[in-house]
Amino acid sequence: MQKRDDKKREAIIAAAVKQFSSRPFHEVLLDEIAAAAKVGKGTVYIYFSSKEDLYDTIVLETFDQLLAELRRLADGKANAWSVLSEMVRHLMRWAYRNPHFYRMIMQSVSDRVKPSLVRKRKDLGDVFGIVLRRGIEEGDFEDSQPLLTAQYIPACVRASVLYGPVKLEVDEAVEHLLSFLESRLRKGQQL
Amino acid sequence: MQKRDDKKREAIIAAAVKQFSSRPFHEVLLDEIAAAAKVGKGTVYIYFSSKEDLYDTIVLETFDQLLAELRRLADGKANAWSVLSEMVRHLMRWAYRNPHFYRMIMQSVSDRVKPSLVRKRKDLGDVFGIVLRRGIEEGDFEDSQPLLTAQYIPACVRASVLYGPVKLEVDEAVEHLLSFLESRLRKGQQL
Amino acid sequence: MQKRDDKKREAIIAAAVKQFSSRPFHEVLLDEIAAAAKVGKGTVYIYFSSKEDLYDTIVLETFDQLLAELRRLADGKANAWSVLSEMVRHLMRWAYRNPHFYRMIMQSVSDRVKPSLVRKRKDLGDVFGIVLRRGIEEGDFEDSQPLLTAQYIPACVRASVLYGPVKLEVDEAVEHLLSFLESRLRKGQQL
Amino acid sequence: MQKRDDKKREAIIAAAVKQFSSRPFHEVLLDEIAAAAKVGKGTVYIYFSSKEDLYDTIVLETFDQLLAELRRLADGKANAWSVLSEMVRHLMRWAYRNPHFYRMIMQSVSDRVKPSLVRKRKDLGDVFGIVLRRGIEEGDFEDSQPLLTAQYIPACVRASVLYGPVKLEVDEAVEHLLSFLESRLRKGQQL
DNA sequence: TATGAATGAGCATTCATTCAT
DNA sequence: CATGAATGAATGCTCATTCAT
């Protein structure tokens, strides 16, 4: 008897991510996912209850994992700017390393207007908001709308990945975005 | 007689925009559009050759109109920062005034991965790039990646509309985004 | 524009009855029904919301019509035996004239265990119970379990249609069943 | 070792009967049967070659056993009426004792239109026909269509079990049906 | 021009059967 | 023998598009 195999689940997720990130939900065929994962179509239904469940599971799991990593960084003891830098670097690297995943989770919001997904996207911004606020409290940052600035960050990362210059290196992208944030947030400091 | 036709065409477009902006392409039913526009389903096919044509026509027409307006502003003789400010203000106000249109054209990229639409989205960024470059050439701005910065702008407008604080006024949003850009771009000047 | 056509609805029902009466629900393909009715598959869904709805609608409509006819007869002023005879004759003739319908509604009970259908089948027996009780009250019939006897009647009609001698004429079947009932019910009278 | 096998086979049959008697063939899942029998799904295929074989085996084995019992009774030396009474009593008691089995074999005819099963159902009626004919030959019974009357018997038993008054005792049901048969068959005798 | 009934290609999902363990 | 994970053929239903009126 074969054992329930997490490798198979991962293969399905990997195949699905590739499909979902390059085409909208309704254009992705389960046949294709199964074929790409080299499993039977029925196998997909052993691990996920529906195509929608497969999609949501991927987005939510991925989002949650990414959020957890960012939250861990956000809890760092270093000064706000160092922490923020690390977080931006982490997010950008993650996005460059997992372009499929990133496209998928970032477009999941517009692609399918699920409240749970919109909330997640907001959470992604808000995790940066935490650090921005701390920086302000500590007199390190200056910003009248930290929650709005926080939302800019994933938005700019998205713009970098999707529309940025083709040959842009990830670390260049990080530095560029950080320079914007620094200028804006640490106005006073710079003088 | 032209009037009559145009009224129907506009009614269809208005109904379609509302639908397309809140659900992905494939979840929007032609039945719903026709019903919302208060025309028969067949009538839609008199004005548009297909659902896809309806969608693309809206996005392209809207994009083109918005781009034309921004290009006109971009050609202004005033200094780069003034021009950029006007453009940001214009885009943000347009987005706040036409949230459905804006959602639709901004998600059209992920919703349907058509090269022509991705190109339009890039064009939207690039129109800001023109002014950024001029500002750099004139020694007014400082930026190693103006084309990347240019892409930030529609991305941040999108973030404001979709995830910004609920009660944020449009002009506050404009000021905030401008301050974000100014701090970095005009570093030298500020001193 | 074509008009919604009751002829089409009837064609679908006729085709469906033929299929449903000769094979169990799950073996009947919607493709076959549509093909037999000479309509597109989608057309079936204009008139019925699902295969199940199509099935239930047929059984319930048919049952209700047959029940209404029998109830009308049951309300007759003639003596109980005359009324009962007419009802048996009506049911048997109906069954012989509509063997497909009769098979379908009689097997609907076992085919799909829907409470609403089981109830209808009981109602079919009960309509005979009304007359049996009247006959008893009027001293014409003698029976300790009229509701049970009432259920025998559709059961025997079913047995006639499904398992009776092949060349049995409908009126012979009626006479035979009536004699079966009369001997017992009118024991006293016969002396 | 035989014991062990047979226990499993019986468990599967018992579980299957319960399922098949309450839902049509195609709605019963092999998963459910296996689960109810507390064996693996594959195990079912060790004892039966297919779901269809499982179903047919049950119906045929059960029918054959019941038929054999009734045939043995039919061969009795007592007078036709006594024999018939015993047979009716036997069938009714069997039906009340094995409502699941009885439902299943009686609906097997409509559930799956297999000639072999329709034949069995006819055989069930015919075994009563044997005795009816003997009674007629012996001048004890009077009936122009004994084969039809014979088919009434299982039909009425079915009606009793499925639609009879809820609190009806089995022996009351027997007496009731017998009183109908007696009145009809022994018209002359009663005077 | 305007309509909406009709169409059928297209796709998610189910479930009997197989087979590696 | 026993298992249950894996399979994919089979099928109900959807919805963009057509076309008779």
Side-chain angles (χ1 to χ4, degrees), chain C:
Chain C
M1 182 186 66
Q2 300 105 309
K3 280 193 158 175
R4 244 183 192 255
D5 192 353
D6 259 10
K7 271 184 191 161
K8 221 146 229 171
R9 190 178 188 272
E10 293 312 314
I12 293 168
I13 286 183
V17 166
K18 214 166 267 181
Q19 305 291 333
F20 283 138
S21 66
S22 59
R23 294 205 301 295
F25 184 79
H26 278 91
E27 280 185 14
V28 174
L29 306 193
L30 222 98
D31 273 328
E32 296 170 344
I33 294 174
K38 291 183 181 170
V39 299
K41 211 183 334 178
T43 309
V44 176
Y45 285 85
I46 294 174
Y47 294 93
F48 304 93
S49 66
S50 67
K51 183 183 165 189
E52 188 163 358
D53 178 50
L54 170 59
Y55 185 96
D56 290 352
T57 298
I58 292 173
V59 172
L60 256 34
E61 276 188 6
T62 307
F63 244 129
D64 283 342
Q65 186 190 323
L66 182 56
L67 272 172
E69 291 166 11
L70 289 172
R71 282 212 180 90
R72 202 170 38 71
L73 290 176
D75 286 339
K77 306 291 181 199
N79 67 67
W81 176 250
S82 303
V83 166
L84 186 65
S85 302
E86 277 314 302
M87 289 171 70
V88 168
R89 190 181 320 279
H90 188 82
L91 179 60
M92 188 77 79
R93 283 184 172 166
W94 194 96
Y96 269 76
R97 205 168 43 241
N98 305 284
H100 288 307
F101 268 103
Y102 200 70
R103 288 182 87 103
M104 185 173 160
I105 65 175
M106 291 309 277
Q107 83 188 31
S108 69
V109 180
S110 47
D111 201 22
R112 336 200 41 243
V113 190
K114 275 214 168 180
S116 63
L117 300 183
V118 174
R119 150 107 0 229
K120 284 288 168 199
R121 171 57 184 79
K122 277 201 160 162
D123 289 349
L124 184 61
D126 289 343
V127 74
F128 289 94
I130 297 167
V131 186
L132 291 179
R133 274 182 172 149
R134 203 189 94 200
I136 292 168
E137 280 165 17
E138 295 174 355
D140 212 13
F141 294 166
E142 194 183 314
D143 193 344
S144 60
Q145 298 282 354
L147 283 184
L148 181 53
T149 306
Q151 297 296 343
Y152 288 171
I153 297 173
C156 291
V157 171
R158 184 178 186 266
S160 289
V161 176
L162 295 182
Y163 314 114
V166 208
K167 303 198 298 184
L168 188 71
E169 294 293 323
V170 55
D171 285 328
E172 291 177 277
V174 172
E175 291 316 313
H176 188 262
L177 178 50
L178 284 177
S179 82
F180 178 73
L181 296 169
E182 186 176 29
S183 322
R184 171 61 181 72
L185 292 172
R186 310 182 80 192
K187 234 185 234 175
Q189 264 77 354
Q190 290 176 318
L191 295 179

Side-chain angles (χ1 to χ4, degrees), chain B residues 92-108:
Chain B
M92 188 77 81
R93 284 184 170 167
W94 194 95
Y96 268 75
R97 208 168 38 241
N98 306 283
H100 288 307
F101 269 103
Y102 200 70
R103 288 180 90 103
M104 183 173 162
I105 65 175
M106 292 307 277
Q107 81 189 29
S108 67

Side-chain angles (χ1 to χ4, degrees), chain A residues 1-3 8 39-43 46-47:
Chain A
M1 182 185 67
Q2 299 105 309
K3 281 193 156 173
K8 221 146 230 172
V39 299
K41 215 184 328 180
T43 308
I46 294 174
Y47 294 93

Side-chain angles (χ1 to χ4, degrees), chain B residues 8 40-43 46-47:
Chain B
K8 255 183 188 148
K41 213 183 337 179
T43 309
I46 294 169
Y47 295 93

Side-chain angles (χ1 to χ4, degrees), chain B residues 58-77:
Chain B
I58 293 173
V59 173
L60 257 34
E61 276 188 5
T62 307
F63 247 130
D64 283 343
Q65 185 191 324
L66 182 58
L67 273 172
E69 291 166 12
L70 289 171
R71 280 210 182 90
R72 203 170 36 71
L73 290 176
D75 287 339
K77 307 294 181 196

Side-chain angles (χ1 to χ4, degrees), chain D residues 91-130:
Chain D
L91 179 61
M92 188 77 81
R93 285 183 172 167
W94 193 95
Y96 268 75
R97 208 168 39 240
N98 305 283
H100 288 308
F101 268 105
Y102 200 70
R103 288 181 90 104
M104 182 174 162
I105 64 175
M106 292 307 278
Q107 81 188 34
S108 68
V109 179
S110 49
D111 206 21
R112 334 197 32 246
V113 191
K114 271 212 170 180
S116 64
L117 299 184
V118 174
R119 150 88 27 207
K120 285 286 169 200
R121 170 59 182 81
K122 276 202 159 164
D123 289 350
L124 184 62
D126 290 343
V127 74
F128 288 94
I130 296 167

